[in-house]
Amino acid sequence: MRDILLSIQYASIVGLFIECWIIFHRLKNAPLSYLFLSCLAILVNNIGYLFQLLSTTQETYITALRFSYGGRVWITLFLFLFTIELCKIKFSKFFRNILVLAHIFIYLSILTLTKNNLYYTWTKFSAQNIFPQMSHGNGIVHHIFMVLQFFYIAIGFKWLFTAWRKEKNRTTKKCFMAVIVSLFIEFLFFTVQMLKIFEITKIYDVTIFGYIISAVVMFVAFFRYDLLGARETARDFIIDHLSEGIIAVDKNQDIQYCNKTAMEIFPNIESESASVMQKIKGAILDGSSVSANNRVYTAEENDLIRDNKNFGKLYVLVDTTESFEHFKKEKYNLQRELRIDPMTGLYNRNGMEHFSKILYEEALQNGKALFACICDMNGLKYINDNFGHKEGDRAIIKLSQIIKEAADKDDMAFRIGGDEFLIIGLKDNVDGAANEFRAKAEKAIAAANQELNLPYKVDMSYGPLAKKITGSPNEFSDLLKRSDTLMYEMKKNRDEHRRQSDE
């Protein structure tokens, strides 16, 4: 009998070691992490119990007992946490920490059992049977430990049966059933050992049988029903590495799953799930995009339906950064084309209407003067009639270059008609702006005509002025009217001067 029971003990250790090895190499998610820890705890317990069976003195027996409880204290807790993750139960992190601290306290009471009566009130060692035994009285911590284990088992079975009943997928239901059967076997042998129903329980801990049979059932589940989720793990791996963000919510709009990309887009998705979902839904309703980490995502909403039953919503965040940047560039180019005069390269009337508002508001906000100067080409009809429209276009292009030279660097020049131009800019010096422009314009006109040496003169009339902006009604249009009046006065004076010269 002794050799048989020792062989069983050795077999359980080897079997648990193999089980731990398999789970460790497939460790991909929280349920498997806790399952691995529970197997590791059982392995430590069985090794420690083997040392108890081989003990010859009370001192070595207690040392082996302490080692054994280094695993036994944690077995049911880790299986309980495994069940929580497997059934996707919402369980407060605070309460998890409380349970961990409780088990640490239990183990500390075992480590010091020779110095207090918290776990055992008394002990009596005997080596008369085929295995050494240590009779004992149960202390308060021992009772607490037993109550905790029954609590874990009762609640765990309730969650497992509920999950099994609700699950529609046949393979997944078999997975749940395998876990239920495995845990029931451990519970059955645990109960038999506690109640000392059979004679063997007085000399040997039969929960070891429960661990062995449970391990066999788990092995079957591993390879036949994919308990370790090889298929699910592969699917999660693929989903996690998609460039799209994936978020699944239930009917209550609670987030049940999000992949790695979604967590990168919304690092606060777990703590601020409501605001994240509101942002996504708002983007869908508005037809706008979601920006994060210098990327642009377009949100899509789909119903989660299986077997004609709606389980919630699936939100997909598609990375459209390249398309968005291309669209922005195309839009910018289109807007620029619509605002640019193709002949001269200056802004056209559309550009004037757009930028004049911006410059006006900037002058008003910063307390600056707004400079305006309408320019009109002199003698374009004469050039067209005598040298052709092609030469007239050439003269217009040259005049646009003169205007750009006469304008300050920060001024904006527009072609607002066939031979009519406008310059707008912000100025600090109201009084000197007009005279400064006149000097630069006359210098540029003279230099251009000397360089070109054409049979006609490229010339213009202009009306420069600057005004401190106050925000009064029609202020900008009145400024242009005054500039236009000044320009016509200059043109009239030049025409009068020309007639007098001809006489």
Side-chain angles (χ1 to χ4, degrees), residues 110-222:
I110 294 167
L111 288 177
T112 59
L113 62 83
T114 57
K115 298 180 181 180
N116 60 64
N117 58 359
L118 292 173
Y119 198 78
Y120 292 149
T121 55
W122 56 268
T123 59
K124 182 180 179 181
F125 179 76
S126 172
Q128 300 300 317
N129 296 319
I130 59 173
F131 293 121
Q133 297 292 315
M134 189 171 75
S135 303
H136 55 79
N138 296 328
I140 186 171
V141 175
H142 185 279
H143 292 305
I144 292 172
F145 185 41
M146 294 300 109
V147 170
L148 277 175
Q149 291 185 93
F150 277 110
F151 168 77
Y152 296 150
I153 292 168
I155 298 298
F157 273 125
K158 179 182 179 298
W159 287 339
L160 285 167
F161 273 114
T162 301
W164 172 80
R165 192 174 62 253
K166 290 182 177 180
E167 183 58 49
K168 302 299 182 182
N169 185 277
R170 290 184 178 180
T171 302
T172 307
K173 283 181 77 74
K174 290 177 181 179
C175 289
F176 277 117
M177 184 50 65
V179 176
I180 291 171
V181 171
S182 177
L183 295 184
F184 177 76
I185 291 169
E186 292 188 16
F187 169 69
L188 180 63
F189 280 89
F190 173 75
T191 305
V192 169
Q193 181 63 37
M194 287 292 297
L195 299 177
K196 307 289 184 184
I197 296 174
F198 302 107
E199 192 67 27
I200 191 175
T201 58
K202 297 177 181 178
I203 60 171
Y204 185 80
D205 189 348
V206 295
T207 54
I208 302 303
F209 292 124
Y211 297 145
I212 296 171
I213 299 172
S214 175
V216 172
V217 175
M218 286 289 189
F219 281 139
V220 173
F222 291 164

Side-chain angles (χ1 to χ4, degrees), residues 235-260:
R235 182 169 64 249
D236 288 346
F237 179 83
I238 293 169
I239 294 174
D240 267 344
H241 287 75
L242 290 174
S243 60
E244 294 81 8
I246 307 294
I247 301 173
V249 301
D250 58 22
K251 289 184 176 181
N252 298 322
Q253 296 300 304
D254 293 326
I255 296 175
Q256 296 298 322
Y257 173 83
C258 59
N259 70 347
K260 185 178 179 182

Side-chain angles (χ1 to χ4, degrees), residues 307-427:
D307 298 331
N308 296 321
K309 185 176 180 181
N310 192 310
F311 290 89
K313 298 286 186 181
L314 184 72
Y315 293 92
V316 182
L317 298 163
V318 182
D319 190 339
T320 55
T321 306
E322 282 70 26
S323 300
F324 182 76
E325 292 298 328
H326 177 73
F327 171 75
K328 280 205 307 184
K329 188 176 180 180
E330 289 295 318
K331 183 180 179 181
Y332 172 79
N333 290 337
L334 179 62
Q335 290 176 337
R336 181 175 172 82
E337 287 176 7
L338 292 173
R339 294 171 183 163
I340 295 293
D341 173 54
M343 180 190 293
T344 62
L346 301 179
Y347 288 106
N348 58 18
R349 182 171 286 276
N350 289 332
M352 184 270 289
E353 291 176 355
H354 175 75
F355 289 109
S356 62
K357 295 176 183 177
I358 296 174
L359 290 171
Y360 179 84
E361 290 297 327
E362 188 174 345
L364 182 63
Q365 292 176 8
N366 297 321
K368 291 191 174 185
L370 188 64
F371 173 80
C373 180
I374 291 179
C375 309
D376 189 79
M377 188 173 185
N378 295 329
L380 179 61
K381 186 176 183 304
Y382 170 78
I383 298 171
N384 285 335
D385 292 345
N386 292 277
F387 303 100
H389 286 274
K390 187 174 181 180
E391 193 64 28
D393 290 345
R394 181 187 174 193
I396 290 173
I397 293 171
K398 188 60 187 177
L399 182 62
S400 69
Q401 295 171 352
I402 292 171
I403 289 172
K404 283 192 283 188
E405 282 186 47
D408 285 346
K409 182 180 67 174
D410 295 329
D411 292 344
M412 300 189 76
F414 308 88
R415 185 186 179 196
I416 56 176
D419 60 350
E420 193 173 12
F421 300 84
L422 171 65
I423 302 169
I424 308 175
L426 302 178
K427 305 295 178 184

